[in-house]
Every structure is written in C-alpha cells, then in structure tokens.
Amino acid sequence: MKLLFCGTPEFAVPTLERLIAEKFVIDLVVTNPDEASGRGYELKAPPVKQVAWRAGLEVFQPATLKEPAAVAFLSRYRPDAIVVVAYGHLIPKWLIDLPRWGCINLHASLLPKYRGAAPIHWALIRGEAVTGVTSMRIDAGLDTGDILLKGEVEILDDDTTETLGARLSLLGADLMVETLRNLERGDLQAQPQDHAQATHAPILKKEDGRIDWALPAEEIWNRIRGLRPWPGAYTTFRGKNLHIWAAARPVAGEPRSLEPGTLTADHGRLFVACGQGTWLEVKEGQLEGRNRLPARDFLNGVKILSGEKVECIANREG
C-alpha cells in the first residue's frame, strides 16, 4: 500500500513510526513548516519531520494546502490512502479525492463525541471515565466522516492531557495499522456517524484556564487535569497569578460554609473552598515569578492568613 502521511506534533509520531516498521510504502510526509523556538528563536523541525528525516523519507512543508504550488506538487502523487494524524490543517476536497481509499484520519476521541481541535482536553474537562481513538474517512465536514474502527482507554485519576495523549497516541498507532490492513483486504465496513450524538471540542484560549471557584470541586479538578500543560489552570493570589498544577480528587465530606475561594492550611495541606460547599486540595502550585512547588513547600514560603482568598470569578464579575 502506497501512502502519504500528514502530521505534525508528537502525538502523530507513534503512528508514523509504526507505519515505517510495518513496511508501508510512504512516498511523502507532509508536515508544518519549521518554527522558531527558544531564546535564540532558532528554527526547530516538527517532531514528525524529525522522524521522517531519520527514516530517509521525503518531506514537504507547505504553509497552507491552498497555495497553487502545494496543489501542483501533491497532485503528482497517486497514493492508495493519505493518513492524517494531528496535521493542523483542514484537508481540502481536491486532496480528499486524490487517493483511491480516501484520507484516513486518526482522531483522539470516540466519535461523534468531541469533534474539533482539543478532544483530549475536553474529555478530561467534562469528566469522562472512558475515551479513545477513532479512525475515520475524512469528508468535507469537521470530523464528520464515516467511522472505520475505534479503540477505548480508561481515563485515570492522575491523567492529564500529556499522559492521556501519550497513551492514546500509542493506541492510535495500532488502530491505524489495523485500519489500513483491513482496507487492503476489503474487510472494513465504514459506519456513518450519528450526528445527533455529536459533541464539540473547540480550541482552547488562555482565558479558559482561569478558575471559577464557585464551581463544584469535582469540576475544577477536571479542568486542572484537562488544561495541563496549556493553557494551565490559574487564579490570582495577592495580586499575582497562581498556577495550580495538580490537585487531589475531591472526596465526599462534611460541606463547608466558607465562601468560594477561601484558603485553608492544615498541617502542610492546602485547601480551597469551592461551590456547593465542596473543597479542593491543591497538591502543586506555582506563584508568578517563583518555582513550582508541592503544597507543603508552598505553604512554608507563603503564610496563609485567616480568611484569605484567591480570586473568585463570580465575585469579581459581580
């Protein structure tokens, strides 16, 4: 089977590596242009490009698939399928129609749930117990194409977008190989999505990380995990940003009548009052301009005053 591979970040690397190991013929790898990074703003190749180079594969890095030069260059290829994994660009119809078996996308959710740019983040934010990956045939919509195969994983209490994403990327690599092998044999029956069951996972913005302490502790805990590492869950303490890196899963207990956002220190443990009488134990925090610290070390450097609060959005907005 002859393939083109479109992908950019670390999430796409396991699939490309598996396709290489399984001896698929990869005529071309399409990825984003190199980006400036670090203090010196030196150009850095995307993770997919680095893997492709090591494997001796040809790499193409158009800024957009709409530019005439990109259309002319890619139209020379006649792949059996185009594999798309976290490429970062919508696939235009002319490219969808290019391969005989279509463009096969690996999406990091159990479609039709969490269509969009941030499915891993939103599965955590919404408190899902299970998520997974789906191979689908791309159509003109946003993650609306027919489903080919699915694979599930349990979401663990200590999962963040980093850890869950890493597990899903490995599961997705296996699923893509299985999908392509079944396509070769003609054993795969595509299933239309139930669009009535669709949910959406829009791209996150920096302001999505600001914590509303009026929410129940369980919701805030889910957001902390789903927003890590970016944009991160944060609040304001003594006029500075306080990044909450980790928190304990809330447990049922005696409701507290403290106003949301009120801080309590108890033998090296840090608690924040939340909505509906719940509270959240902060495990790791980072005050603006300081190092990331466990709660005990944070409290050693910052003495919490009686009744002291972090910013509460509901109060701030009136």
Side-chain angles (χ1 to χ4, degrees), residues 47-83:
V48 161
K49 179 181 178 180
Q50 296 176 37
V51 172
W53 268 3
R54 290 196 295 268
L57 299 175
E58 184 180 2
V59 175
F60 181 50
Q61 296 178 269
T64 171
L65 295 174
K66 297 178 181 179
E67 58 188 35
V71 176
F73 182 81
L74 291 170
S75 295
R76 299 184 308 173
Y77 290 86
R78 291 294 178 266
D80 296 309
I82 297 176
V83 174

Side-chain angles (χ1 to χ4, degrees), residues 93-166:
K93 189 176 187 307
W94 69 264
L95 192 56
I96 292 172
D97 295 338
L98 188 65
R100 62 172 176 148
W101 285 328
C103 292
I104 312 302
N105 176 234
L106 179 68
H107 186 75
S109 79
L110 299 174
L111 290 171
K113 297 187 78 170
Y114 302 112
R115 295 173 177 172
I120 301 173
H121 300 76
W122 286 102
L124 285 163
I125 290 169
R126 298 301 182 211
E128 298 287 355
V130 173
T131 189
V133 287
T134 303
S135 59
M136 55 162 281
R137 186 172 277 123
I138 292 176
D139 63 10
L142 179 62
D143 301 326
T144 56
D146 290 350
I147 292 169
L148 300 172
L149 292 175
K150 290 185 180 183
E152 292 187 358
V153 294
E154 179 184 0
I155 297 179
L156 308 176
D157 282 357
D158 59 355
D159 266 330
T160 66
T161 57
E162 295 166 300
T163 61
L164 182 56

Side-chain angles (χ1 to χ4, degrees), residues 70-293:
V71 176
F73 182 81
L74 291 170
S75 295
R76 299 184 308 173
Y77 290 86
R78 291 294 178 266
D80 296 309
I82 297 176
V83 174
V84 182
V85 186
Y87 174 42
H89 298 274
L90 290 176
I91 305 300
K93 189 176 187 307
W94 69 264
L95 192 56
I96 292 172
D97 295 338
L98 188 65
R100 62 172 176 148
W101 285 328
C103 292
I104 312 302
N105 176 234
L106 179 68
H107 186 75
S109 79
L110 299 174
L111 290 171
K113 297 187 78 170
Y114 302 112
R115 295 173 177 172
I120 301 173
H121 300 76
W122 286 102
L124 285 163
I125 290 169
R126 298 301 182 211
E128 298 287 355
V130 173
T131 189
V133 287
T134 303
S135 59
M136 55 162 281
R137 186 172 277 123
I138 292 176
D139 63 10
L142 179 62
D143 301 326
T144 56
D146 290 350
I147 292 169
L148 300 172
L149 292 175
K150 290 185 180 183
E152 292 187 358
V153 294
E154 179 184 0
I155 297 179
L156 308 176
D157 282 357
D158 59 355
D159 266 330
T160 66
T161 57
E162 295 166 300
T163 61
L164 182 56
R167 299 210 325 275
L168 289 174
S169 70
L170 295 175
L171 177 64
D174 292 338
L175 190 77
M176 183 57 71
V177 170
E178 182 182 359
T179 299
L180 294 175
R181 293 300 188 204
N182 285 346
L183 281 174
E184 277 187 308
R185 293 190 296 266
D187 292 341
L188 207 51
Q189 184 65 45
Q191 299 293 326
Q193 293 188 44
D194 181 355
H195 301 302
Q197 300 299 315
T199 61
H200 297 279
I203 192 168
L204 292 163
K205 305 179 293 296
K206 177 64 178 177
E207 53 266 32
D208 291 323
R210 187 173 293 279
I211 299 171
D212 180 358
W213 296 104
L215 294 173
E218 183 94 7
E219 290 188 34
I220 296 173
W221 175 69
N222 285 329
R223 293 188 71 85
I224 290 169
R225 298 187 304 143
L227 296 169
R228 177 175 165 180
W230 195 93
Y234 61 92
T235 187
T236 302
F237 174 67
R238 296 179 183 172
K240 294 185 177 181
N241 276 350
L242 174 61
H243 188 119
I244 308 297
W245 282 100
R249 179 166 195 164
V251 294
E254 188 70 25
R256 297 190 178 190
S257 58
L258 296 174
E259 190 173 352
T262 303
L263 299 169
T264 302
D266 183 14
H267 296 89
R269 300 169 71 185
L270 176 61
F271 298 89
V272 187
C274 305
Q276 299 180 15
T278 60
W279 68 92
L280 185 74
E281 181 180 358
V282 174
K283 304 296 286 186
E284 289 184 77
Q286 184 174 13
L287 195 58
E288 184 179 342
R290 300 193 183 183
N291 294 328
R292 173 178 169 178
L293 296 171

